[in-house]
Amino acid sequence: GGLVMLFPFAWMVSTSLKPDRELFVTPPQLIPEPLTPQNYGRVAETFPVGRFVLNSLVVAGFSTSLQILTSAMAAYGFARLQFRGRDVLFLVYLVTLMVPLQVTIVPLFVEMRILGLVNTYPGLIVPTIASAFGTFLLRQAILSLPRDFEEAAFIDGASHWTVFRRIVLPLSRPALAAFGIFAFMASWNSFLWPLVVISSQDLMTLPVGLSNLHGRYETAWNLVMAGATISVIPIMAVYVTAQKHVIRGVALSGLKG
């Protein structure tokens, strides 16, 4: 099963190292002959890949940080605070997961235009600062935490904000790391919204910028795969760094089934 999952990535790297004449050779070869690492240089010469990567890092970094903050606060409210209509409100919040982006993209673009955020970094980031999935994931993690430390803190005069900041967040680090990976991957791979809201090449994220590698009449697939390989490297690095936290966070959040 692991080999089946890894084969498309191996084929992507293999194609990125093939010369033009070897792209459609029959039968296809997994190991390119000869190796052509110059394809990566051709991609860098054709488009400002460094700028695209920087834009994606800025957008993904801010989007992920804000999603973690808003989702953690909302999750604490739904898990620990008692108020009328809490469960109904949480259910309504989860229903938004069934609404696809394509349904809201037109009114969202009109809203960004009215606010003057079209073709700006805030226009890319603001619509992504809240996450119903993140709220659900972190709420499940907070519900699994023992209340003993929180009750002791309340007896000592701590407020909800103190309990949230000094007790709940440190104990929820595995779930926060897991959601951070999911949020970073979603933001890094986002294509439709950046395509709609950004028109300047200086603000394009990596997926949108690399889409320009597709030609009108023909496509240099070795260059496309070289760009795709570049886009995968940061996600792999982030995931490998936080792999233990991701596995533990998913297990503690109740999504392991």
Side-chain angles (χ1 to χ4, degrees), residues 75-107:
Y76 179 80
F78 285 123
R80 292 293 192 253
L81 301 183
Q82 299 293 332
F83 56 90
R84 182 177 298 178
R86 183 189 66 174
D87 295 337
V88 175
L89 180 60
F90 181 66
L91 180 61
V92 173
Y93 196 44
L94 289 183
V95 169
T96 61
L97 289 172
M98 296 185 290
V99 181
L101 175 63
Q102 290 83 353
V103 174
T104 62
I105 196 165
V106 172

PDB file of all heavy atoms in Angstrom, residues 75-107:
ATOM      1  N   ALA A  75     -12.914  26.629  20.177  1.00  0.00           N
ATOM      2  CA  ALA A  75     -12.996  25.270  20.717  1.00  0.00           C
ATOM      3  C   ALA A  75     -13.104  25.288  22.235  1.00  0.00           C
ATOM      4  O   ALA A  75     -13.872  24.519  22.830  1.00  0.00           O
ATOM      5  CB  ALA A  75     -11.775  24.464  20.285  1.00  0.00           C
ATOM      6  N   TYR A  76     -12.346  26.165  22.879  1.00  0.00           N
ATOM      7  CA  TYR A  76     -12.435  26.273  24.338  1.00  0.00           C
ATOM      8  C   TYR A  76     -13.821  26.743  24.759  1.00  0.00           C
ATOM      9  O   TYR A  76     -14.397  26.231  25.732  1.00  0.00           O
ATOM     10  CB  TYR A  76     -11.376  27.235  24.859  1.00  0.00           C
ATOM     11  CG  TYR A  76     -11.425  27.424  26.357  1.00  0.00           C
ATOM     12  CD1 TYR A  76     -10.862  26.476  27.204  1.00  0.00           C
ATOM     13  CD2 TYR A  76     -12.049  28.538  26.919  1.00  0.00           C
ATOM     14  CE1 TYR A  76     -10.914  26.638  28.581  1.00  0.00           C
ATOM     15  CE2 TYR A  76     -12.106  28.701  28.296  1.00  0.00           C
ATOM     16  CZ  TYR A  76     -11.531  27.745  29.124  1.00  0.00           C
ATOM     17  OH  TYR A  76     -11.593  27.910  30.490  1.00  0.00           O
ATOM     18  N   GLY A  77     -14.372  27.698  24.027  1.00  0.00           N
ATOM     19  CA  GLY A  77     -15.713  28.173  24.349  1.00  0.00           C
ATOM     20  C   GLY A  77     -16.760  27.085  24.209  1.00  0.00           C
ATOM     21  O   GLY A  77     -17.616  26.915  25.092  1.00  0.00           O
ATOM     22  N   PHE A  78     -16.690  26.314  23.134  1.00  0.00           N
ATOM     23  CA  PHE A  78     -17.669  25.243  22.921  1.00  0.00           C
ATOM     24  C   PHE A  78     -17.451  24.065  23.869  1.00  0.00           C
ATOM     25  O   PHE A  78     -18.392  23.329  24.175  1.00  0.00           O
ATOM     26  CB  PHE A  78     -17.620  24.756  21.478  1.00  0.00           C
ATOM     27  CG  PHE A  78     -18.264  25.691  20.497  1.00  0.00           C
ATOM     28  CD1 PHE A  78     -17.557  26.203  19.424  1.00  0.00           C
ATOM     29  CD2 PHE A  78     -19.594  26.063  20.647  1.00  0.00           C
ATOM     30  CE1 PHE A  78     -18.160  27.060  18.510  1.00  0.00           C
ATOM     31  CE2 PHE A  78     -20.203  26.921  19.746  1.00  0.00           C
ATOM     32  CZ  PHE A  78     -19.487  27.421  18.680  1.00  0.00           C
ATOM     33  N   ALA A  79     -16.231  23.854  24.330  1.00  0.00           N
ATOM     34  CA  ALA A  79     -15.935  22.702  25.180  1.00  0.00           C
ATOM     35  C   ALA A  79     -16.109  22.986  26.664  1.00  0.00           C
ATOM     36  O   ALA A  79     -16.498  22.094  27.427  1.00  0.00           O
ATOM     37  CB  ALA A  79     -14.511  22.223  24.916  1.00  0.00           C
ATOM     38  N   ARG A  80     -15.844  24.221  27.110  1.00  0.00           N
ATOM     39  CA  ARG A  80     -15.794  24.493  28.542  1.00  0.00           C
ATOM     40  C   ARG A  80     -16.798  25.548  29.027  1.00  0.00           C
ATOM     41  O   ARG A  80     -17.178  25.516  30.202  1.00  0.00           O
ATOM     42  CB  ARG A  80     -14.381  24.944  28.926  1.00  0.00           C
ATOM     43  CG  ARG A  80     -13.330  23.855  28.816  1.00  0.00           C
ATOM     44  CD  ARG A  80     -13.567  22.775  29.849  1.00  0.00           C
ATOM     45  NE  ARG A  80     -12.447  21.852  29.973  1.00  0.00           N
ATOM     46  CZ  ARG A  80     -12.442  20.617  29.535  1.00  0.00           C
ATOM     47  NH1 ARG A  80     -13.526  20.131  28.906  1.00  0.00           N
ATOM     48  NH2 ARG A  80     -11.402  19.832  29.705  1.00  0.00           N
ATOM     49  N   LEU A  81     -17.227  26.446  28.186  1.00  0.00           N
ATOM     50  CA  LEU A  81     -18.142  27.496  28.632  1.00  0.00           C
ATOM     51  C   LEU A  81     -19.585  27.028  28.490  1.00  0.00           C
ATOM     52  O   LEU A  81     -19.954  26.387  27.500  1.00  0.00           O
ATOM     53  CB  LEU A  81     -17.929  28.779  27.831  1.00  0.00           C
ATOM     54  CG  LEU A  81     -16.521  29.388  27.895  1.00  0.00           C
ATOM     55  CD1 LEU A  81     -16.475  30.695  27.106  1.00  0.00           C
ATOM     56  CD2 LEU A  81     -16.070  29.608  29.334  1.00  0.00           C
ATOM     57  N   GLN A  82     -20.401  27.361  29.481  1.00  0.00           N
ATOM     58  CA  GLN A  82     -21.815  27.005  29.466  1.00  0.00           C
ATOM     59  C   GLN A  82     -22.635  28.241  29.097  1.00  0.00           C
ATOM     60  O   GLN A  82     -22.574  29.255  29.785  1.00  0.00           O
ATOM     61  CB  GLN A  82     -22.247  26.489  30.845  1.00  0.00           C
ATOM     62  CG  GLN A  82     -21.518  25.239  31.307  1.00  0.00           C
ATOM     63  CD  GLN A  82     -21.854  24.025  30.457  1.00  0.00           C
ATOM     64  OE1 GLN A  82     -22.948  23.939  29.878  1.00  0.00           O
ATOM     65  NE2 GLN A  82     -20.922  23.079  30.379  1.00  0.00           N
ATOM     66  N   PHE A  83     -23.356  28.171  27.977  1.00  0.00           N
ATOM     67  CA  PHE A  83     -24.243  29.263  27.587  1.00  0.00           C
ATOM     68  C   PHE A  83     -25.389  28.690  26.772  1.00  0.00           C
ATOM     69  O   PHE A  83     -25.283  27.612  26.188  1.00  0.00           O
ATOM     70  CB  PHE A  83     -23.496  30.342  26.788  1.00  0.00           C
ATOM     71  CG  PHE A  83     -22.778  29.839  25.564  1.00  0.00           C
ATOM     72  CD1 PHE A  83     -23.408  29.790  24.329  1.00  0.00           C
ATOM     73  CD2 PHE A  83     -21.453  29.409  25.650  1.00  0.00           C
ATOM     74  CE1 PHE A  83     -22.755  29.336  23.203  1.00  0.00           C
ATOM     75  CE2 PHE A  83     -20.785  28.946  24.524  1.00  0.00           C
ATOM     76  CZ  PHE A  83     -21.435  28.911  23.309  1.00  0.00           C
ATOM     77  N   ARG A  84     -26.484  29.408  26.754  1.00  0.00           N
ATOM     78  CA  ARG A  84     -27.696  28.929  26.098  1.00  0.00           C
ATOM     79  C   ARG A  84     -27.472  28.788  24.584  1.00  0.00           C
ATOM     80  O   ARG A  84     -26.954  29.689  23.940  1.00  0.00           O
ATOM     81  CB  ARG A  84     -28.841  29.894  26.363  1.00  0.00           C
ATOM     82  CG  ARG A  84     -30.176  29.467  25.750  1.00  0.00           C
ATOM     83  CD  ARG A  84     -31.283  30.429  26.114  1.00  0.00           C
ATOM     84  NE  ARG A  84     -31.491  30.458  27.567  1.00  0.00           N
ATOM     85  CZ  ARG A  84     -32.378  31.255  28.166  1.00  0.00           C
ATOM     86  NH1 ARG A  84     -33.114  32.091  27.436  1.00  0.00           N
ATOM     87  NH2 ARG A  84     -32.498  31.221  29.486  1.00  0.00           N
ATOM     88  N   GLY A  85     -27.899  27.666  24.057  1.00  0.00           N
ATOM     89  CA  GLY A  85     -27.797  27.417  22.620  1.00  0.00           C
ATOM     90  C   GLY A  85     -26.413  27.015  22.157  1.00  0.00           C
ATOM     91  O   GLY A  85     -26.140  27.027  20.955  1.00  0.00           O
ATOM     92  N   ARG A  86     -25.549  26.604  23.099  1.00  0.00           N
ATOM     93  CA  ARG A  86     -24.175  26.270  22.722  1.00  0.00           C
ATOM     94  C   ARG A  86     -24.115  25.115  21.727  1.00  0.00           C
ATOM     95  O   ARG A  86     -23.440  25.212  20.690  1.00  0.00           O
ATOM     96  CB  ARG A  86     -23.377  25.903  23.977  1.00  0.00           C
ATOM     97  CG  ARG A  86     -21.908  25.597  23.708  1.00  0.00           C
ATOM     98  CD  ARG A  86     -21.227  25.037  24.931  1.00  0.00           C
ATOM     99  NE  ARG A  86     -21.766  23.726  25.294  1.00  0.00           N
ATOM    100  CZ  ARG A  86     -21.264  22.959  26.273  1.00  0.00           C
ATOM    101  NH1 ARG A  86     -20.244  23.394  26.989  1.00  0.00           N
ATOM    102  NH2 ARG A  86     -21.806  21.772  26.531  1.00  0.00           N
ATOM    103  N   ASP A  87     -24.799  24.024  22.022  1.00  0.00           N
ATOM    104  CA  ASP A  87     -24.736  22.849  21.155  1.00  0.00           C
ATOM    105  C   ASP A  87     -25.370  23.112  19.792  1.00  0.00           C
ATOM    106  O   ASP A  87     -24.880  22.633  18.766  1.00  0.00           O
ATOM    107  CB  ASP A  87     -25.430  21.668  21.836  1.00  0.00           C
ATOM    108  CG  ASP A  87     -24.713  21.232  23.104  1.00  0.00           C
ATOM    109  OD1 ASP A  87     -23.507  21.518  23.217  1.00  0.00           O
ATOM    110  OD2 ASP A  87     -25.365  20.627  23.980  1.00  0.00           O
ATOM    111  N   VAL A  88     -26.460  23.885  19.773  1.00  0.00           N
ATOM    112  CA  VAL A  88     -27.109  24.221  18.507  1.00  0.00           C
ATOM    113  C   VAL A  88     -26.184  25.089  17.657  1.00  0.00           C
ATOM    114  O   VAL A  88     -26.033  24.893  16.443  1.00  0.00           O
ATOM    115  CB  VAL A  88     -28.455  24.924  18.752  1.00  0.00           C
ATOM    116  CG1 VAL A  88     -29.065  25.378  17.430  1.00  0.00           C
ATOM    117  CG2 VAL A  88     -29.410  23.994  19.490  1.00  0.00           C
ATOM    118  N   LEU A  89     -25.557  26.072  18.305  1.00  0.00           N
ATOM    119  CA  LEU A  89     -24.639  26.957  17.588  1.00  0.00           C
ATOM    120  C   LEU A  89     -23.452  26.170  17.031  1.00  0.00           C
ATOM    121  O   LEU A  89     -23.017  26.404  15.897  1.00  0.00           O
ATOM    122  CB  LEU A  89     -24.147  28.059  18.519  1.00  0.00           C
ATOM    123  CG  LEU A  89     -23.166  29.075  17.915  1.00  0.00           C
ATOM    124  CD1 LEU A  89     -23.799  29.804  16.742  1.00  0.00           C
ATOM    125  CD2 LEU A  89     -22.705  30.064  18.984  1.00  0.00           C
ATOM    126  N   PHE A  90     -22.958  25.225  17.816  1.00  0.00           N
ATOM    127  CA  PHE A  90     -21.838  24.402  17.346  1.00  0.00           C
ATOM    128  C   PHE A  90     -22.255  23.554  16.147  1.00  0.00           C
ATOM    129  O   PHE A  90     -21.491  23.406  15.182  1.00  0.00           O
ATOM    130  CB  PHE A  90     -21.337  23.515  18.483  1.00  0.00           C
ATOM    131  CG  PHE A  90     -20.174  22.645  18.110  1.00  0.00           C
ATOM    132  CD1 PHE A  90     -18.945  23.200  17.801  1.00  0.00           C
ATOM    133  CD2 PHE A  90     -20.311  21.266  18.064  1.00  0.00           C
ATOM    134  CE1 PHE A  90     -17.861  22.401  17.458  1.00  0.00           C
ATOM    135  CE2 PHE A  90     -19.246  20.462  17.715  1.00  0.00           C
ATOM    136  CZ  PHE A  90     -18.018  21.026  17.421  1.00  0.00           C
ATOM    137  N   LEU A  91     -23.474  23.019  16.187  1.00  0.00           N
ATOM    138  CA  LEU A  91     -23.978  22.226  15.064  1.00  0.00           C
ATOM    139  C   LEU A  91     -24.105  23.078  13.811  1.00  0.00           C
ATOM    140  O   LEU A  91     -23.712  22.655  12.713  1.00  0.00           O
ATOM    141  CB  LEU A  91     -25.322  21.609  15.425  1.00  0.00           C
ATOM    142  CG  LEU A  91     -25.991  20.751  14.346  1.00  0.00           C
ATOM    143  CD1 LEU A  91     -25.104  19.564  13.987  1.00  0.00           C
ATOM    144  CD2 LEU A  91     -27.358  20.264  14.810  1.00  0.00           C
ATOM    145  N   VAL A  92     -24.630  24.292  13.957  1.00  0.00           N
ATOM    146  CA  VAL A  92     -24.748  25.200  12.816  1.00  0.00           C
ATOM    147  C   VAL A  92     -23.363  25.536  12.260  1.00  0.00           C
ATOM    148  O   VAL A  92     -23.159  25.624  11.039  1.00  0.00           O
ATOM    149  CB  VAL A  92     -25.501  26.478  13.226  1.00  0.00           C
ATOM    150  CG1 VAL A  92     -25.471  27.512  12.098  1.00  0.00           C
ATOM    151  CG2 VAL A  92     -26.941  26.152  13.603  1.00  0.00           C
ATOM    152  N   TYR A  93     -22.407  25.717  13.158  1.00  0.00           N
ATOM    153  CA  TYR A  93     -21.038  26.022  12.739  1.00  0.00           C
ATOM    154  C   TYR A  93     -20.452  24.871  11.927  1.00  0.00           C
ATOM    155  O   TYR A  93     -19.776  25.088  10.915  1.00  0.00           O
ATOM    156  CB  TYR A  93     -20.190  26.294  13.979  1.00  0.00           C
ATOM    157  CG  TYR A  93     -18.880  26.980  13.714  1.00  0.00           C
ATOM    158  CD1 TYR A  93     -18.788  28.055  12.831  1.00  0.00           C
ATOM    159  CD2 TYR A  93     -17.720  26.560  14.351  1.00  0.00           C
ATOM    160  CE1 TYR A  93     -17.583  28.684  12.589  1.00  0.00           C
ATOM    161  CE2 TYR A  93     -16.503  27.183  14.120  1.00  0.00           C
ATOM    162  CZ  TYR A  93     -16.448  28.241  13.237  1.00  0.00           C
ATOM    163  OH  TYR A  93     -15.256  28.862  12.994  1.00  0.00           O
ATOM    164  N   LEU A  94     -20.732  23.639  12.353  1.00  0.00           N
ATOM    165  CA  LEU A  94     -20.227  22.479  11.619  1.00  0.00           C
ATOM    166  C   LEU A  94     -20.897  22.323  10.260  1.00  0.00           C
ATOM    167  O   LEU A  94     -20.287  21.799   9.324  1.00  0.00           O
ATOM    168  CB  LEU A  94     -20.431  21.204  12.439  1.00  0.00           C
ATOM    169  CG  LEU A  94     -19.552  21.010  13.675  1.00  0.00           C
ATOM    170  CD1 LEU A  94     -19.830  19.666  14.312  1.00  0.00           C
ATOM    171  CD2 LEU A  94     -18.074  21.114  13.316  1.00  0.00           C
ATOM    172  N   VAL A  95     -22.143  22.763  10.153  1.00  0.00           N
ATOM    173  CA  VAL A  95     -22.855  22.652   8.875  1.00  0.00           C
ATOM    174  C   VAL A  95     -22.127  23.426   7.783  1.00  0.00           C
ATOM    175  O   VAL A  95     -22.193  23.064   6.597  1.00  0.00           O
ATOM    176  CB  VAL A  95     -24.311  23.139   9.038  1.00  0.00           C
ATOM    177  CG1 VAL A  95     -24.995  23.302   7.687  1.00  0.00           C
ATOM    178  CG2 VAL A  95     -25.099  22.149   9.894  1.00  0.00           C
ATOM    179  N   THR A  96     -21.398  24.480   8.145  1.00  0.00           N
ATOM    180  CA  THR A  96     -20.677  25.263   7.138  1.00  0.00           C
ATOM    181  C   THR A  96     -19.608  24.434   6.432  1.00  0.00           C
ATOM    182  O   THR A  96     -19.139  24.827   5.354  1.00  0.00           O
ATOM    183  CB  THR A  96     -20.022  26.499   7.779  1.00  0.00           C
ATOM    184  OG1 THR A  96     -19.067  26.082   8.772  1.00  0.00           O
ATOM    185  CG2 THR A  96     -21.076  27.378   8.443  1.00  0.00           C
ATOM    186  N   LEU A  97     -19.218  23.303   7.023  1.00  0.00           N
ATOM    187  CA  LEU A  97     -18.254  22.431   6.352  1.00  0.00           C
ATOM    188  C   LEU A  97     -18.816  21.857   5.060  1.00  0.00           C
ATOM    189  O   LEU A  97     -18.052  21.472   4.168  1.00  0.00           O
ATOM    190  CB  LEU A  97     -17.845  21.290   7.281  1.00  0.00           C
ATOM    191  CG  LEU A  97     -16.949  21.645   8.476  1.00  0.00           C
ATOM    192  CD1 LEU A  97     -16.807  20.442   9.402  1.00  0.00           C
ATOM    193  CD2 LEU A  97     -15.581  22.097   7.993  1.00  0.00           C
ATOM    194  N   MET A  98     -20.138  21.789   4.949  1.00  0.00           N
ATOM    195  CA  MET A  98     -20.766  21.215   3.760  1.00  0.00           C
ATOM    196  C   MET A  98     -20.968  22.244   2.650  1.00  0.00           C
ATOM    197  O   MET A  98     -21.468  21.901   1.580  1.00  0.00           O
ATOM    198  CB  MET A  98     -22.105  20.579   4.130  1.00  0.00           C
ATOM    199  CG  MET A  98     -21.984  19.397   5.077  1.00  0.00           C
ATOM    200  SD  MET A  98     -23.564  18.568   5.389  1.00  0.00           S
ATOM    201  CE  MET A  98     -24.397  19.801   6.371  1.00  0.00           C
ATOM    202  N   VAL A  99     -20.610  23.498   2.909  1.00  0.00           N
ATOM    203  CA  VAL A  99     -20.752  24.552   1.901  1.00  0.00           C
ATOM    204  C   VAL A  99     -19.426  24.704   1.169  1.00  0.00           C
ATOM    205  O   VAL A  99     -18.437  25.136   1.755  1.00  0.00           O
ATOM    206  CB  VAL A  99     -21.158  25.890   2.545  1.00  0.00           C
ATOM    207  CG1 VAL A  99     -21.323  26.967   1.476  1.00  0.00           C
ATOM    208  CG2 VAL A  99     -22.433  25.729   3.352  1.00  0.00           C
ATOM    209  N   PRO A 100     -19.340  24.355  -0.103  1.00  0.00           N
ATOM    210  CA  PRO A 100     -18.072  24.441  -0.827  1.00  0.00           C
ATOM    211  C   PRO A 100     -17.695  25.892  -1.134  1.00  0.00           C
ATOM    212  O   PRO A 100     -18.546  26.780  -1.178  1.00  0.00           O
ATOM    213  CB  PRO A 100     -18.343  23.655  -2.115  1.00  0.00           C
ATOM    214  CG  PRO A 100     -19.816  23.772  -2.323  1.00  0.00           C
ATOM    215  CD  PRO A 100     -20.429  23.804  -0.939  1.00  0.00           C
ATOM    216  N   LEU A 101     -16.410  26.107  -1.335  1.00  0.00           N
ATOM    217  CA  LEU A 101     -15.910  27.447  -1.633  1.00  0.00           C
ATOM    218  C   LEU A 101     -16.523  28.006  -2.903  1.00  0.00           C
ATOM    219  O   LEU A 101     -16.762  29.214  -3.014  1.00  0.00           O
ATOM    220  CB  LEU A 101     -14.383  27.409  -1.753  1.00  0.00           C
ATOM    221  CG  LEU A 101     -13.700  28.713  -2.189  1.00  0.00           C
ATOM    222  CD1 LEU A 101     -13.923  29.814  -1.160  1.00  0.00           C
ATOM    223  CD2 LEU A 101     -12.209  28.475  -2.423  1.00  0.00           C
ATOM    224  N   GLN A 102     -16.805  27.144  -3.879  1.00  0.00           N
ATOM    225  CA  GLN A 102     -17.337  27.617  -5.160  1.00  0.00           C
ATOM    226  C   GLN A 102     -18.673  28.336  -4.985  1.00  0.00           C
ATOM    227  O   GLN A 102     -19.020  29.189  -5.791  1.00  0.00           O
ATOM    228  CB  GLN A 102     -17.509  26.433  -6.117  1.00  0.00           C
ATOM    229  CG  GLN A 102     -16.212  25.836  -6.612  1.00  0.00           C
ATOM    230  CD  GLN A 102     -15.616  24.851  -5.630  1.00  0.00           C
ATOM    231  OE1 GLN A 102     -16.103  24.711  -4.513  1.00  0.00           O
ATOM    232  NE2 GLN A 102     -14.563  24.153  -6.039  1.00  0.00           N
ATOM    233  N   VAL A 103     -19.421  27.982  -3.934  1.00  0.00           N
ATOM    234  CA  VAL A 103     -20.722  28.616  -3.704  1.00  0.00           C
ATOM    235  C   VAL A 103     -20.550  30.040  -3.177  1.00  0.00           C
ATOM    236  O   VAL A 103     -21.328  30.933  -3.507  1.00  0.00           O
ATOM    237  CB  VAL A 103     -21.552  27.769  -2.713  1.00  0.00           C
ATOM    238  CG1 VAL A 103     -22.858  28.481  -2.343  1.00  0.00           C
ATOM    239  CG2 VAL A 103     -21.844  26.403  -3.310  1.00  0.00           C
ATOM    240  N   THR A 104     -19.538  30.262  -2.380  1.00  0.00           N
ATOM    241  CA  THR A 104     -19.359  31.562  -1.708  1.00  0.00           C
ATOM    242  C   THR A 104     -18.327  32.452  -2.381  1.00  0.00           C
ATOM    243  O   THR A 104     -18.111  33.576  -1.925  1.00  0.00           O
ATOM    244  CB  THR A 104     -18.936  31.327  -0.252  1.00  0.00           C
ATOM    245  OG1 THR A 104     -17.673  30.628  -0.224  1.00  0.00           O
ATOM    246  CG2 THR A 104     -19.986  30.508   0.490  1.00  0.00           C
ATOM    247  N   ILE A 105     -17.694  31.989  -3.437  1.00  0.00           N
ATOM    248  CA  ILE A 105     -16.550  32.728  -3.962  1.00  0.00           C
ATOM    249  C   ILE A 105     -16.956  34.066  -4.590  1.00  0.00           C
ATOM    250  O   ILE A 105     -16.234  35.056  -4.477  1.00  0.00           O
ATOM    251  CB  ILE A 105     -15.755  31.857  -4.961  1.00  0.00           C
ATOM    252  CG1 ILE A 105     -14.380  32.457  -5.199  1.00  0.00           C
ATOM    253  CG2 ILE A 105     -16.505  31.703  -6.292  1.00  0.00           C
ATOM    254  CD1 ILE A 105     -13.421  31.514  -5.857  1.00  0.00           C
ATOM    255  N   VAL A 106     -18.138  34.113  -5.232  1.00  0.00           N
ATOM    256  CA  VAL A 106     -18.574  35.375  -5.845  1.00  0.00           C
ATOM    257  C   VAL A 106     -18.901  36.430  -4.788  1.00  0.00           C
ATOM    258  O   VAL A 106     -18.360  37.548  -4.835  1.00  0.00           O
ATOM    259  CB  VAL A 106     -19.765  35.139  -6.793  1.00  0.00           C
ATOM    260  CG1 VAL A 106     -20.325  36.479  -7.279  1.00  0.00           C
ATOM    261  CG2 VAL A 106     -19.347  34.286  -7.982  1.00  0.00           C
ATOM    262  N   PRO A 107     -19.794  36.144  -3.804  1.00  0.00           N
ATOM    263  CA  PRO A 107     -20.021  37.156  -2.767  1.00  0.00           C
ATOM    264  C   PRO A 107     -18.762  37.483  -1.974  1.00  0.00           C
ATOM    265  O   PRO A 107     -18.590  38.627  -1.523  1.00  0.00           O
ATOM    266  CB  PRO A 107     -21.095  36.530  -1.877  1.00  0.00           C
ATOM    267  CG  PRO A 107     -21.078  35.078  -2.185  1.00  0.00           C
ATOM    268  CD  PRO A 107     -20.664  34.970  -3.609  1.00  0.00           C
TER     269      PRO A 107
END
